[in-house]
Amino acid sequence: MRFCINVDHIATLRNARGEVQPDPVTFALMAEQFGVDGIVVHLREDRRHINERDVRLLRELITTKLDLEMAAVDEIIDIACDIRPELATIVPERRQELTTEGGINVIDNIKQIKNAIDRLHEAEITVSLFIEPDINQIDAAAEINADFIEIHTGNYANAVGEEELFDELERVRVAAKHAKKLGLGVNAGHGLNYINMKDFVAISEIDEVSIGHAVIARAVFVGLDQAIKEMRELTKQQ
Ligand code: PXP
C-alpha cells in the first residue's frame, strides 16, 4: 500500500515559537527524498498549524502528490480550487478538538458535502471523504460521487485486547471490500503506528495510508530517514 506522511505536527512545532523553523515544507521535501508516496496537510479554518503559505509552497515544490485535508466550507474550497491538490480529503472539523476525532457524517450533511465534491470536481480535483468503516456511510459517499474514501482507523488504533483488535480490523476489512465493490478508491488513517500496521497491512483493498503522529514521533529519536524506512517496510504487502 502507498504511504503518505502528514506533516501538520512540524507546523505545530514551528508555530509554538512563532518562528520559521522547523519548516514543514522542507520536512516534506526531505520525506519525499526518503521515499514517501505523498504529502498530507490539513489546512484548518483556525490555521493552528499549516497555513496557506505552506500549502502554496508544497504545491509548487513537491514531486509526489499533495493530499489536502479540509472542511467542506466555502473559504477552504476556494483555496483548494485555486491550489489544486491531487487529492482533497474532506474531514469534519471542530475548533475544540486536539485532532480530527472521527469520520464525517456523510448522511447527515449530504447537501453540504455533495456541494463541496461538485465544486472540487469542477476544478478537476479528486475527492476523498474521511468516514467511519460503516456501510451506510460508504453507500452515501458513492451516491454523491466521491472518488475515494479514507477509512477512519481510530477505533482500530485504540482497540485493547485480541478480540477487540480483531473485531475492529474486521470492520475495516469489510468496509474496504464494500467500497472497492462500489468502485471507490480506499485510503485509511488515524492512529496507525509501527505496531498496529503489522496486521493492518494484510487488508489488500487499502490503496494508501496517511500517517502523521507515529512517524514524526519516531523521527525525533531515530531521524526521518530511518523512521520512513521502517514504516515503508511495514506497508509492503506480503
Ligand atoms: N487522516 C486524517 C483524515 C487525519 O485527520 C489524520 C490526523 O491529522 C491522519 C490521517 C493521521 O493521523 P495520525 O497523526 O494519528 O497518524
Side-chain angles (χ1 to χ4, degrees):
M1 52 182 68
R2 294 191 300 269
F3 159 39
C4 296
I5 190 169
N6 179 311
V7 301
D8 293 350
H9 277 345
I10 302 301
T12 300
L13 197 55
R14 170 194 61 190
N15 295 359
R17 293 293 288 264
E19 294 176 11
V20 294
Q21 294 295 343
D23 177 36
V25 178
T26 310
F27 190 89
L29 294 173
M30 286 179 70
E32 282 192 324
Q33 298 299 319
F34 296 142
V36 297
D37 296 306
I39 305 298
V40 189
V41 289
H42 184 176
L43 183 66
R44 281 181 170 265
E45 285 182 273
D46 64 10
R47 306 291 197 274
R48 69 170 72 154
H49 37 59
I50 292 293
N51 60 37
E52 225 180 294
R53 166 265 184 205
D54 300 331
V55 184
R56 288 189 186 279
L57 274 177
L58 284 169
R59 168 68 306 167
E60 216 174 293
L61 294 171
I62 66 171
T63 51
T64 53
K65 66 171 221 183
L66 180 62
D67 174 3
L68 180 66
E69 293 180 3
M70 53 180 279
V73 296
D74 283 336
E75 185 219 352
I76 310 288
I77 296 170
D78 288 343
I79 295 171
C81 289
D82 186 35
I83 290 174
R84 298 182 58 187
E86 278 77 16
L87 183 69
T89 299
I90 298 178
V91 301
E93 200 172 296
R94 286 193 295 121
R95 281 184 186 244
Q96 293 78 14
E97 68 193 356
L98 280 178
T99 179
T100 311
E101 284 169 354
I104 197 164
N105 190 327
V106 185
I107 297 163
D108 286 359
N109 300 284
I110 199 135
K111 251 179 95 175
Q112 184 192 4
I113 297 171
K114 183 179 184 312
N115 173 58
I117 293 176
D118 289 347
R119 285 201 55 206
L120 292 161
H121 276 168
E122 270 169 38
E124 295 176 359
I125 300 166
T126 303
V127 185
S128 178
L129 303 183
F130 183 56
I131 59 177
E132 296 299 320
D134 176 291
I135 300 299
N136 295 325
Q137 294 289 341
I138 295 167
D139 288 343
E143 222 167 89
I144 56 174
N145 288 329
D147 306 292
F148 274 77
I149 58 164
E150 179 179 331
I151 297 176
H152 173 237
T153 51
N155 289 333
Y156 168 62
N158 291 331
V160 181
E162 256 178 50
E163 198 178 316
E164 207 181 312
L165 269 165
F166 179 85
D167 289 349
E168 291 300 338
L169 193 62
E170 207 47 33
R171 273 183 73 201
V172 176
R173 193 194 312 274
V174 168
K177 278 208 165 104
H178 184 74
K180 272 278 141 111
K181 247 193 247 156
L182 296 178
L184 292 159
V186 184
N187 297 340
H190 206 91
L192 294 174
N193 61 38
Y194 292 87
I195 295 166
N196 61 30
M197 268 307 296
K198 288 183 184 132
D199 291 328
F200 195 81
V201 73
I203 307 180
S204 58
E205 288 80 8
I206 309 255
D207 296 306
E208 180 173 299
V209 286
S210 163
I211 307 179
H213 186 84
V215 176
I216 289 176
R218 182 134 183 87
V220 170
F221 291 107
V222 302
L224 184 59
D225 188 2
Q226 179 68 18
I228 287 175
K229 240 186 233 148
E230 289 174 18
M231 187 54 80
R232 180 82 282 172
E233 205 49 44
L234 286 171
T235 53
K236 278 190 191 146
Q237 266 138 346
Q238 308 306 315

